[in-house]
Each structure stands twice: as structure tokens, then as C-alpha cells.
Amino acid sequence: MRDWERDYICVIGSLNYDIIMKQKRMPFLGETYTADSITYSGGGKGANQAVQCAKLGIDTIMVGKVGRDTFGDTLVEKLKEYGVDCSCIGRSSSPTGVGVVHALEDGSVYASIITGANFDITSLEIDGLDELVRNSGIIILQLEIPTGVVEHIIRKAKQYHVYTILNAAPAKEIDRDVLKLVDGLIVNETEASFYAGVDMTDGGMVRAHADRLRQLTDGTVIVTLGSKGSMLLEKEGVVPIEPVKVEHVTDSTGAGDSYIGAFAYGKYKGMTDRQACCFAARAASVTVTKIGAQEAMPCLREIN
Ligand SMILES: Nc1ncnc2c1ncn2[C@@H]1O[C@H](COP(=O)(O)OP(=O)(O)O)[C@@H](O)[C@H]1O
Ligand SMILES: [Mg+2]
């Protein structure tokens, strides 16, 4: 029934410029503390998921907004290098979305973000991209742009019979009638707990309260559980997807985004939900072995 001739994936979401400082501790009030090192990294769930799709060899179009500043230039340049089509990334007078992360030696992380230009995208602009939406093979969304715009896109995509994946992250209220229309709802344990209204920190809890998540949408629900793998909630039952064992976990940043991009690849290629989840788990397991998000995501050859 679905038209798999539509030969690109469209990601509509966030782009962020992340500044990561490694340091032993946080400064005290009034103190100027010297950090040990700094790294810059392209991020934003939208951009990360687009990079994973593009790295797997699918034509991928990113829709979003950055500021008219050097951070915006850098993010767009990076995405282009990964093969993402950036012709629908707009510029706004707000600053580019930025994340400032302090990563301490004991593993704790303190982070602040500016959503900036990401929140300047409007439903009216989406209407201007009607052809793009209508002809997408799959549309991938997250909640790092205005929720009203995400809801608008989901309604539109449904009308055009386009398969939608919503990574409902970060967790926030969204119109429950619109949520029903989503084809693939993917959340991690934190987001699952928010939407289900009960703690869902492991597979047992997901299984016990699966119906609370299933009733959110008429489509498929997937809960990712970090190193514990993921759970596919089918209408007939709950299918645990084992994590792929890796020798050494270096940096789990972007694991979820890698999983989502690879799941989309699987669906785009006509895999069943189970097959797509297993493929996604393999992709994400490669991502956690390397530092960073976009740079760590695997191409097809690295997965096979
Ligand atoms: N330590 C790990 N070893 C192997 N796979 C992992 C590991 N951490 C994450 N993954 C894979 O990545 C997926 C997504 O990770 P998760 O942490 O749940 O997402 P998020 O980044 O959204 O919190 C998991 O379901 C799992 O398949
Ligand atoms: Mg996690």
C-alpha cells in the first residue's frame, strides 16, 4: 500500500552546536576554574538522526533553522560533508542553538542549552515545503522544535500517507490525538516513564506497563534502554531486542539518534519492525564505541 518509490528521508528538527569542556570539578561561586580540554561537536537530535540516515547511504533532507552566525555556518558545512541535503535549512535572526557541557572526571555531566533558532521554525514555513513533505519516504521528528509545528507536520504527513517516526524527546506534553497518528514512536526509558506516568527503567517494567505506551499511538512503540537494549511493543506482545555486545563503550552520546536513524533506514528498505530494530541496535552499538555523536555513527560497511 505504501509508496516506497519516494526516494528520500526527511528529518525536520534541531541543529545544535555543542561545546564540551572536560574538567575535574565545577567551579565554586565566584571562582574562575581552568578546564582540562575542550571539544566542539555538531549536535541536535534532528541533525544527528539525519547524519545517521545519510551515512547509511539514503538521500536525506534536513529541515530546520540555524542563526546567521559562524556556529550555524559550521553546522551546515558539517552536515553537507556527511551528505545531508541542507537546501531546506533556514537562517533566522536568533542565535544558532548551542549546548555548553561540563563533563567531570567522575562521569557526571552539567549542561545548559540555548534553543535559539531551532524554535523559529513555523507551521507556515512547513506549508511552504508541502511538496517535500508529501513526497518523503519517511519523515523523522523530535521535540527540539516547537511542539505545535511537530503536531502540524504529523497531521500533514498522515494526510499524505507518509510514514512518520517521532522520537518524543525531550519528553513534553504533545496533543494525544496527534500522537495517535504516529507510525513509529521511539522513546528512551526517561521519556517512556513520562508518557506512561510510571517508572520504566528496565525491560520488566516496560513489559508490565506496555499497554500504557501502546495506547499512545496506533503505530509501533519502541523503548530504548541504553546498555540493556530495547523493547518493541507490538500489538501481539512485547519483543525484547538484545543489545549488541561491544568490547569497550567509549562514549554513548548519540546512541539513541543512531538507533533512530538506522531504524528509519530499515523501514525505508522495507524491513519488518523487528528486523529494523535489530539493525538499529547494531548501528547504535558501533556508535557507542567511538567519541562524539555524528562522527561516531557507522556507515553500512561498518555494520555488516
Ligand atoms: N553500552 C551499550 N552497548 C551496546 N548498545 C548500546 C549501549 N548503549 C546504548 N546502546 C544501544 O543504543 C540504543 C539507544 O540507546 P539509549 O541510551 O537508550 O538512547 P538515548 O541516547 O536516547 O538515551 C539502545 O537501545 C542500545 O541498542
Ligand atoms: Mg540513554
Side-chain angles (χ1 to χ4, degrees), residues 4 138 163 165 262-273 276:
W4 295 111
I138 292 178
Y163 185 95
I165 294 174
F263 178 81
Y265 169 91
K267 293 309 292 176
Y268 185 81
K269 293 289 181 184
M271 290 184 197
T272 63
D273 287 343

Side-chain angles (χ1 to χ4, degrees), residues 11-70:
V11 182
I12 309 180
S14 56
L15 303 98
N16 281 327
Y17 190 89
D18 291 332
I19 300 170
I20 304 124
M21 287 195 220
K22 287 225 166 83
Q23 56 201 74
K24 293 186 183 59
R25 60 170 175 85
M26 289 301 281
F28 300 119
L29 180 63
E31 181 190 18
T32 301
Y33 184 78
T34 303
D36 298 320
S37 68
I38 189 163
T39 45
Y40 308 96
S41 173
K45 292 177 197 297
N48 288 350
Q49 293 168 20
V51 166
Q52 181 61 90
C53 293
K55 278 192 165 183
L56 292 171
I58 305 171
D59 282 344
T60 306
I61 302 178
M62 174 88 207
V63 178
K65 278 215 167 148
V66 294
R68 292 190 191 90
D69 47 31
T70 48

Side-chain angles (χ1 to χ4, degrees), residues 127-178:
D127 288 343
L129 299 171
D130 204 61
E131 282 297 303
L132 179 80
V133 170
R134 186 199 296 259
N135 295 318
S136 295
I138 292 178
I139 293 182
I140 309 180
L141 300 153
Q142 317 77 26
L143 297 177
E144 289 183 335
I145 61 172
T147 309
V149 176
V150 173
E151 292 165 351
H152 183 69
I153 298 163
I154 294 169
R155 279 196 213 97
K156 223 177 194 348
K158 188 70 186 181
Q159 189 188 330
Y160 296 144
H161 306 288
V162 176
Y163 185 95
T164 51
I165 294 174
L166 173 65
N167 173 212
K172 50 178 82 161
E173 275 314 330
I174 171 164
D175 186 329
R176 297 285 167 138
D177 294 333
V178 174

